[in-house]
């Protein structure tokens, strides 16, 4: 588990200043976000910073203006929605599209082949061992980045 922080000062003891960011030096999760706990509840360090400053985060996200997931500088953090988070990722060029997404069932090349093919969605679904809706989405709704 990450470090325990009950105060802002305690949290800051586990940072290193690099440029204007306060980078978390403690434990990190699989995505590179700092981990700590408050009152026995494990959470991301940047979220803990906002809570310790008395901000009402609720079910919202704590987002970074600096696009640095290690940073817990309160001047670089703001409370936002999942939609804002995705927009920030797209604007920063860090949003994962297509086959780079670890959950992707198709590649850009397969999407192009499926779109050009006169064969049915059912054919492709059976051939690739996918659900029909995955093929339909590739043809009609998702994979917009593939021309």
């Amino acid at each position: 588990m990450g470090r325990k922080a009950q105060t802002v000062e305690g949290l800051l003891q586990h940072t290193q200043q690099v440029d204007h960011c306060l980078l978390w030096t403690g434990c990190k999760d699989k995505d590179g976000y700092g981990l700590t706990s408050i009152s026995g509840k494990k959470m991301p360090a940047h979220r803990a910073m906002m809570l310790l400053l008395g901000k009402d985060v609720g079910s919202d996200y704590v987002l970074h203006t600096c696009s640095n997931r290690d940073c817990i500088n309160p001047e670089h953090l703001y409370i936002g929605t999942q939609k804002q988070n995705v927009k920030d990722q797209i604007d920063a060029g860090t949003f994962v599209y297509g086959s780079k997404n670890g959950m992707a069932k198709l590649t850009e090349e397969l999407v192009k082949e499926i779109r050009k093919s006169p064969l049915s969605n059912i054919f492709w679904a059976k051939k690739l061992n996918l659900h029909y809706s995955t093929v339909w989405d590739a043809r009609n709704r998702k994979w917009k980045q593939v021309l």
Side-chain angles (χ1 to χ4, degrees), residues 76-135:
H76 296 183
L77 304 175
Y78 70 99
I79 298 169
T81 64
Q82 193 261 348
K83 186 175 182 176
Q84 287 171 299
N85 192 30
V86 170
K87 182 184 180 314
D88 286 353
Q89 290 172 353
I90 292 169
D91 291 347
T94 58
F95 188 78
V96 182
Y97 290 97
S99 61
K100 292 180 182 173
N101 180 326
M103 300 294 289
K105 306 284 186 211
L106 297 169
T107 64
E108 285 77 4
E109 292 75 26
L110 270 173
V111 170
K112 287 178 185 177
E113 187 176 346
I114 289 167
R115 286 180 179 171
K116 290 179 184 175
S117 172
L119 300 170
S120 72
N121 292 343
I122 293 172
F123 168 85
W124 282 105
K126 286 180 181 176
K127 178 179 178 172
L128 300 172
N129 196 28
L130 297 171
H131 192 273
Y132 167 86
S133 65
T134 303
V135 177

Side-chain angles (χ1 to χ4, degrees), residues 3 5 13 34 54 81 138:
R3 305 202 182 242
Q13 288 178 1
T81 64

Side-chain angles (χ1 to χ4, degrees), residues 12 15 17 19-23 46 49-50 53 64-66 70-78:
L12 291 174
T15 63
Q17 184 159 356
D19 295 323
H20 297 285
C21 291
L22 293 173
L23 303 182
H46 60 288
M49 175 59 83
M50 295 297 268
L53 289 171
H64 295 84
T65 60
C66 60
D70 291 351
C71 183
I72 66 165
N73 183 342
E75 294 176 5
H76 296 183
L77 304 175
Y78 70 99

